[in-house]
């Protein structure tokens, strides 16, 4: 077939996109499950408000290196990918402690620790650390199915277990994600002044 003639590994060399899979995918899905999911995992209004208050309190302490300040969970439908990333890697661990039921919080931590490894410049490719991250992600998916139901283990959730392989081959997930392209979109959109013939406008300007 034409694809085999390319001489590339379609699994090993076509990487999963961390921005869409982890941030806009599973992290957003988890937050929506906690807010609007089945009753046995849905958080009460008071708990959601308490978590939101913590996030808003963090705004004062977020350094300028972060492109956005934390927003309330009530605005989660309008969160950008960088906000889901910030919640997963930095603020969520503190915002959720004591608010999320222990089994759900422990499940969340499995993904937090694994992402810290796979986003690290050197640890992501160290065999012992990479294997540990893959083990944590596999456990996350298994426990996710037990907590939220097997029908909730959608394509994005399952694909988490393959992220460690991508990091082992290609380096930290941030370097093989769509974030740099997403950040460049603003510059491109500045060159589009009318709805028709957008590509031609970008090229000409």
């Amino acid at each position: 077939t034409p694809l085999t003639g390319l001489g590339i590994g379609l699994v090993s060399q076509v990487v999963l996109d961390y921005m869409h899979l982890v941030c806009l995918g599973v992290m957003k899905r988890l937050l929506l499950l906690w807010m609007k999911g089945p009753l046995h995992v849905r958080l009460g209004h008071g708990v959601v408000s308490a978590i939101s208050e913590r996030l808003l309190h963090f705004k004062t302490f977020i350094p300028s290196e972060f492109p956005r300040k934390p927003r309330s969970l009530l605005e989660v439908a309008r969160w950008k990918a960088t906000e889901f990333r910030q919640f997963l890697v930095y603020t969520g661990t503190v915002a959720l402690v004591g608010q999320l039921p222990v089994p759900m919080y422990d499940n969340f931590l499995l993904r937090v620790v694994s992402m810290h490894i796979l986003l690290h410049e050197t640890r992501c490719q160290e065999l012992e650390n990479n294997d540990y991250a893959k083990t944590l992600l596999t456990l996350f998916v298994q426990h996710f199915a037990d907590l939220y139901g097997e029908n909730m283990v959608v394509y994005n959730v399952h694909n988490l277990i393959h992220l460690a392989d991508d990091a082992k081959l290609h380096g930290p997930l941030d370097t093989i994600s769509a974030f740099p392209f997403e950040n460049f979109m603003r510059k491109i959109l500045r060159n589009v002044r009318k709805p028709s013939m957008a590509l031609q406008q970008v090229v000409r300007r």
Side-chain angles (χ1 to χ4, degrees):
T1 65
L3 291 177
T4 56
L6 293 174
I8 63 171
L10 293 177
V11 174
S12 61
Q13 292 177 271
V14 180
V15 299
L16 295 163
D17 175 38
Y18 154 74
M19 187 188 87
H20 288 94
L21 173 64
V22 175
C23 303
L24 291 169
V26 181
M27 189 65 257
K28 184 176 183 178
R29 186 174 187 81
L30 265 179
L31 288 170
L32 291 176
L33 279 171
W34 297 338
M35 296 174 65
K36 302 177 181 180
L39 289 176
H40 71 282
V41 296
R42 191 186 307 174
L43 303 177
H45 177 73
V47 176
V48 173
S49 296
I51 296 169
S52 294
E53 285 176 14
R54 286 185 182 179
L55 291 172
L56 294 175
H57 178 69
F58 296 159
K59 289 173 72 171
T60 309
F61 308 99
I62 298 296
S64 59
E65 285 77 10
F66 288 87
R68 293 178 180 271
K69 303 291 186 183
R71 287 196 280 178
S72 164
L73 288 183
L74 300 178
E75 297 185 74
V76 74
R78 295 188 292 275
W79 281 19
K80 303 296 184 183
T82 53
E83 293 174 276
F84 289 110
R85 182 188 187 278
Q86 184 185 81
F87 186 89
L88 171 63
V89 181
Y90 299 101
T91 58
T93 307
V94 180
L96 296 174
V97 67
Q99 301 294 336
L100 207 61
V102 172
M104 293 160 64
Y105 185 71
D106 288 346
N107 178 254
F108 174 72
L109 289 183
L110 289 172
R111 203 158 63 97
V112 171
V113 176
S114 63
M115 287 301 107
H116 273 279
I117 294 171
L118 298 181
L119 289 166
H120 193 273
E121 189 174 330
T122 56
R123 288 178 193 150
C124 67
Q125 292 184 304
E126 294 168 357
L127 184 61
E128 184 177 358
N129 284 317
N130 186 279
D131 286 346
Y132 183 53
K134 186 166 188 175
T135 299
L136 293 179
L137 287 171
T138 303
L139 285 172
F140 171 82
V141 174
Q142 292 171 351
H143 294 167
F144 183 95
D146 294 336
L147 287 168
Y148 304 102
E150 291 189 3
N151 62 314
M152 296 295 179
V153 184
V154 294
Y155 181 77
N156 278 343
V157 175
H158 167 77
N159 264 337
L160 289 174
I161 63 177
H162 300 295
L163 283 173
D165 296 327
D166 284 348
K168 184 189 292 185
L169 284 173
H170 304 288
L173 297 181
D174 267 336
T175 64
I176 53 173
S177 78
F179 273 112
F181 301 95
E182 188 76 8
N183 294 338
F184 196 70
M185 283 296 292
R186 186 180 300 174
K187 293 183 179 179
I188 294 176
L189 289 173
R190 285 193 193 125
N191 294 316
V192 179
R193 314 235 175 115
K194 58 183 181 179
S196 62
M197 304 178 72
L199 182 59
Q200 289 89 330
Q201 293 179 65
V202 171
V203 171
R204 287 170 185 166
R205 294 193 176 101

